[in-house]
Amino acid sequence: MIKKLDEMINHLQIGPKVVLSVAAAHNEEVLISIKEAVDMNIIHPILIGNVESIRSISKTINFNLEGIEIIQENDISKCAEIAVRLVNENKADFIMKGLLDTSVFLKAVLNKEFGLKQDRLLSHVMIYEIENYHKLLLITDAGMNIKPTYEQKEDIIKNSIQAARVLGIDEIKIACLAAVEKVNSKMPATIDARKLQEASQNGKFGEDVIVEGPMAFDLAVSKHSSEIKGFNGNVAGDADIIVVPFIEVGNALGKSLTYMSKSKSAGIVMGAKTPIVLTSRADSSQSKLYSIIYGALISKSTN
């Protein structure tokens, strides 16, 4: 079982490298993370964007571009289209957003003619390495779906399960977050959480998956808290995945882990034909690197 983000690297250095297409790659933070991934011998990138800028930035950061394909394109929407088409043409295994708006990037991903959309909802998954937690923790969805319906939460869970399997977890434990542990008709999050638990008990998400809820965050990650409060369950204190009820909760929780506890993290979008590296402009090059590594690991496991 992979318990540290750096442990993912060892699994990628065996066998052929996965190919990453990068839309609008003419950005220093993006190119730094790609350079590091190349230096680790885990990916082969295809860079799409302004060639002059890519070469200039690469020279500044000592990124050797020998043997790396660069596709000239100044129009950022066409950069996104080319990156997506490369995946559909089996010339790339997964994609990454560079220096362009998320809306422009996702428009290409969702294009009916050449996009990567499947029947399942797209959702964002963050993975955190937290100093005082005994394994990696996934949080979903903190970046895409604002107020998911019950049916959308089912897809979000399925996406998160796919993202968790590559970590080698024998039994995936999922906590559906709420403020209390009892179902309350005035708190929709508790109703959906209990329905998701019941769906899991009926085999909706697979025999090796346990979904429980509603559950407060402290009970999901702390055995001590669950024992004090007399809360019994298979997930309590040992959650692999936290499913948040709406985007503000996930956003605040994730940023608290990043900025207050200095947790290492990676982010990926699941639900498409391939993993999508979709990082924020404020993300560090380290976070972008871990996102590339995580996307490569998922891509390699599904190809």
Side-chain angles (χ1 to χ4, degrees), residues 5-289:
L5 291 176
D6 284 333
E7 292 174 14
M8 296 189 291
I9 298 168
N10 297 330
H11 293 263
L12 290 167
Q13 292 174 329
I14 303 168
K17 291 180 284 188
V18 288
V19 179
L20 171 64
S21 64
V22 187
H26 41 274
N27 173 266
E28 185 169 332
E29 288 289 321
V30 170
L31 286 171
I32 288 172
S33 61
I34 292 168
K35 175 188 181 297
E36 291 176 344
V38 170
D39 289 345
M40 291 173 182
N41 201 36
I42 60 176
I43 65 161
H44 179 79
I46 301 175
L47 308 176
I48 306 140
N50 183 281
V51 172
E52 184 178 347
S53 295
I54 291 171
R55 292 194 181 280
S56 176
I57 295 168
S58 296
K59 186 176 181 180
T60 301
I61 64 175
N62 296 314
F63 183 11
N64 184 358
L65 296 174
E66 185 178 353
I68 293 175
E69 183 180 359
I70 308 174
I71 299 174
Q72 166 62 35
E73 183 53 68
N74 291 328
D75 186 309
I76 57 171
S77 62
K78 289 183 180 177
C79 286
E81 178 181 336
I82 293 168
V84 169
R85 286 187 183 275
L86 285 170
V87 173
N88 268 333
E89 294 168 2
N90 296 317
K91 295 177 181 177
D93 299 302
F94 67 126
I95 62 173
M96 179 178 184
K97 180 181 85 74
L99 189 64
L100 74 165
D101 290 342
T102 298
S103 60
V104 175
F105 183 68
L106 289 178
K107 185 177 180 180
V109 170
L110 299 173
N111 185 281
K112 292 181 180 180
E113 178 193 348
F114 57 81
L116 305 175
K117 183 76 168 67
Q118 299 190 117
D119 292 336
R120 190 182 299 173
L121 180 79
L122 295 186
S123 62
H124 197 257
V125 179
M126 290 294 297
I127 183 168
Y128 291 89
E129 181 181 318
I130 307 164
E131 186 176 345
N132 61 346
Y133 197 59
H134 57 286
K135 56 184 174 180
L136 294 171
L137 182 67
L138 281 70
I139 298 176
T140 190
D141 178 332
M144 289 197 72
N145 297 289
I146 297 171
K147 189 178 179 181
T149 63
Y150 170 79
E151 290 74 18
Q152 289 174 326
K153 287 176 183 177
E154 284 192 350
D155 275 356
I156 287 170
I157 286 177
K158 290 173 184 176
N159 289 341
S160 68
I161 290 169
Q162 185 181 1
R165 288 200 189 281
V166 302
L167 303 176
I169 304 169
D170 292 330
E171 188 174 57
I172 299 172
K173 299 178 180 180
I174 303 175
C176 294
L177 212 61
V180 296
E181 287 68 55
K182 293 182 179 180
V183 176
N184 185 328
S185 60
K186 296 181 180 180
M187 304 174 74
T190 65
I191 299 171
D192 283 355
R194 183 54 50 84
K195 286 175 65 179
L196 290 165
Q197 175 178 303
E198 292 169 352
S200 176
Q201 291 168 343
N202 291 329
K204 181 78 175 184
F205 305 111
E207 293 182 0
D208 59 344
V209 176
I210 301 173
V211 179
E212 291 182 351
M215 191 182 305
F217 183 73
D218 59 332
L219 302 186
V221 298
S222 170
K223 284 282 187 185
H224 179 67
S225 291
S226 60
E227 288 169 1
I228 288 176
K229 293 183 178 180
F231 182 82
N232 296 316
N234 295 308
V235 175
D238 196 33
D240 296 295
I241 301 169
I242 303 290
V243 177
V244 302
F246 43 86
I247 198 168
E248 288 86 355
V249 174
N251 186 278
L253 178 57
K255 287 180 178 176
S256 296
L257 290 171
T258 298
Y259 290 100
M260 303 302 287
S261 71
K262 304 295 184 183
S263 299
K264 297 178 182 178
S265 66
I268 208 81
V269 171
M270 300 294 294
K273 294 178 183 177
T274 184
I276 301 168
V277 181
L278 187 68
T279 56
S280 168
R281 285 172 293 180
D283 288 341
S284 65
S285 57
Q286 181 196 56
S287 181
K288 287 183 171 71
L289 172 61

